[in-house]
Structure formats: C-alpha cells, structure tokens
Amino acid sequence: AAGVIQSPRHLIKEKRETATLKCYPIPRHDTVYWYQQGPGQDPQFLISFYEKMQSDKGSIPDRFSAQQFSDYHSELNMSSLELGDSALYFCASSNPWGSPDTQYFGPGTRLTVL
Amino acid sequence: RKEVEQDPGPFNVPEGATVAFNCTYSNSASQSFFWYRQDCRKEPKLLMSVYSSGNEDGRFTAQLNRASQYISLLIRDSKLSDSATYLCVVRDTGRRALTFGSGTRLQVQP
C-alpha cells in the first residue's frame, strides 16, 4: 500500500540558510501534519492542514512556515536555520473516511544544521 | 510536567516473557489514545488504538482507565522483533495534534 512520501530524506544546511521539506500524503488523505523530533526526544507537533487550510498549530517557530497545495502535498519552509533545528521532521497524513484519528507517518527528513 | 508520562526503561526481558508498560496523561479532555512503536531512527508506526473497553490484537492488549487517566500495554510471549521504543500517544478534544510520551524502550533478549 502507498505510504506517506517525504523528500529529501537527508538534508545538510549551514546556519542561517533556508530549507524546504516536502510531504506527499497517502492518496485520498486530505489532512497532513508536521512533527519535529530532536535527538533523544519525542515527536513534537508543529502544524497541520486540512483541505489546504491550517487546522491546528503547535510549537512551530515563527521562522518556519508551511502550506498545503491543491494536490494535498505539503511543504515546510524553514528560514534562518539554527543549530537547534537539527532534527528528524516527520509528516503524517489521515483521511476522513477511515478512522480520522489515525495518523500515518512518513519516513522523515533528517535535517542537520552545521 | 509533561502531558504524557512514561517510564523510559529500558525494559530488558527474555524471549517469551510478558511485559507491561504504563502511561499517565494529565489532560482530562484527552479524547483518543494510542500506542505507537518506533524503531531507531525510523518513523512512529501505529501499534493499536486504545478503547475504554480494552482491546486486544494478537499478543498485544491495551487498557484505558479514564478515571485514573492511565493507559497500559501488555505484550505477551515477547519476540526479538518486539524490541523498539513504545510511545504512548493522546489526542485532545478539538485538536488534530498528537501528544507523545517520551517512550519506553524495550529490549527483548535471546
């Protein structure tokens, strides 16, 4: 079965640079979620989108922004990168017909900021 | 204090053992409850949802006690492949976000 796709899988950036992470949800899933997992930490919710509108917001820094496009894929834009932004970034998706609570996670993008 | 608390472990158990993990949550408005499994450097994968009546999926049994705000996971007949971090996860009423506990690490030994 198709899963959530994230790209790139690995990304290395310098401080103060920008990064864009992409997420392609499972087909027919209309909700995407972004989570950040720092080293040795549990995943922290950043933001979610439903039908291209922001549906919930967590601890997303002002330097980050995200959007969901008409094909339901989502992008997380990160600017003025800091060393502390080094983490695994997971995207998850869910659908309104199955269990709307169930979020399926992608393999993640590992961001390293040097 | 974290909203979802778990014993970090590690729990080191022999193959075939029964092991139980506990989790408490602080927000009485939490509405949905899950156990996710996470292998090292991989994505969290849903193990099972947790219902008030308790539910079982093969060797795994989950229980929810809303009055005590307590969730448990029981793994019977542990396999080497069960070695992973088990994340207790809640979703609050009116929110889409999942709130994760810090995870309990299980190491099943031959």
Side-chain angles (χ1 to χ4, degrees):
Chain A
V4 177
I5 297 172
Q6 291 189 246
S7 68
R9 294 293 307 278
H10 302 273
L11 190 58
I12 299 176
K13 290 285 185 179
E14 301 272 345
K15 278 171 53 178
R16 292 180 288 277
E17 286 192 319
T18 61
T20 297
L21 279 53
K22 297 186 178 182
C23 168
Y24 298 85
I26 293 171
R28 293 182 295 283
H29 282 199
D30 58 4
T31 306
V32 294
Y33 312 79
W34 286 98
Y35 292 84
Q36 177 192 58
Q37 186 172 26
Q41 313 252 321
D42 48 282
Q44 295 289 318
F45 172 71
L46 294 178
I47 196 166
S48 66
F49 292 87
Y50 167 67
E51 286 290 344
K52 302 175 281 290
M53 300 287 290
Q54 181 181 307
S55 56
D56 199 355
K57 190 173 182 182
S59 52
I60 184 169
D62 292 339
R63 301 177 288 108
F64 295 5
S65 64
Q67 56 182 323
Q68 185 180 30
F69 296 85
S70 57
D71 64 351
Y72 296 106
H73 95 272
S74 178
E75 294 183 3
L76 177 66
N77 299 294
M78 311 160 73
S79 62
S80 303
L81 286 169
E82 301 173 357
L83 296 178
D85 296 329
S86 295
L88 261 172
Y89 290 83
F90 291 110
C91 173
S93 71
S94 67
N95 80 74
W97 302 282
S99 170
D101 282 338
T102 302
Q103 297 183 20
Y104 298 89
F105 283 74
T109 294
R110 182 170 296 279
L111 172 66
T112 302
V113 181
L114 302 175
Chain B
R1 184 188 169 198
K2 281 181 66 72
E3 183 175 339
V4 182
E5 299 266 13
Q6 291 183 253
D7 180 344
F11 283 59
N12 295 304
V13 302
E15 275 187 285
T18 296
V19 61
F21 304 140
N22 303 318
C23 164
T24 57
Y25 61 95
S26 60
N27 188 349
S28 59
S30 295
Q31 177 181 15
S32 304
F33 308 89
F34 311 89
W35 284 100
Y36 275 76
R37 169 198 169 127
Q38 186 172 30
D39 293 283
C40 187
R41 293 173 170 256
K42 300 255 178 106
E43 73 273 25
K45 291 186 177 177
L46 178 68
L47 182 64
M48 57 199 305
S49 301
V50 188
Y51 305 110
S52 297
S53 54
N55 47 301
E56 187 174 314
D57 183 1
R59 298 181 293 108
F60 299 86
T61 301
Q63 296 276 352
L64 167 65
N65 184 322
R66 285 187 183 269
S68 303
Q69 295 181 200
Y70 171 95
I71 306 162
S72 65
L73 176 68
L74 183 76
I75 305 176
R76 290 182 299 278
D77 190 21
S78 299
K79 312 289 185 194
L80 294 175
S81 57
D82 294 333
S83 298
T85 296
Y86 290 82
L87 298 162
C88 178
V89 183
V90 305
R91 186 176 72 85
D92 296 338
T93 303
R95 302 261 346 251
R96 299 261 185 176
L98 298 179
T99 301
F100 288 79
S102 298
T104 298
R105 189 165 163 227
L106 172 65
Q107 184 66 46
V108 181
Q109 296 164 337

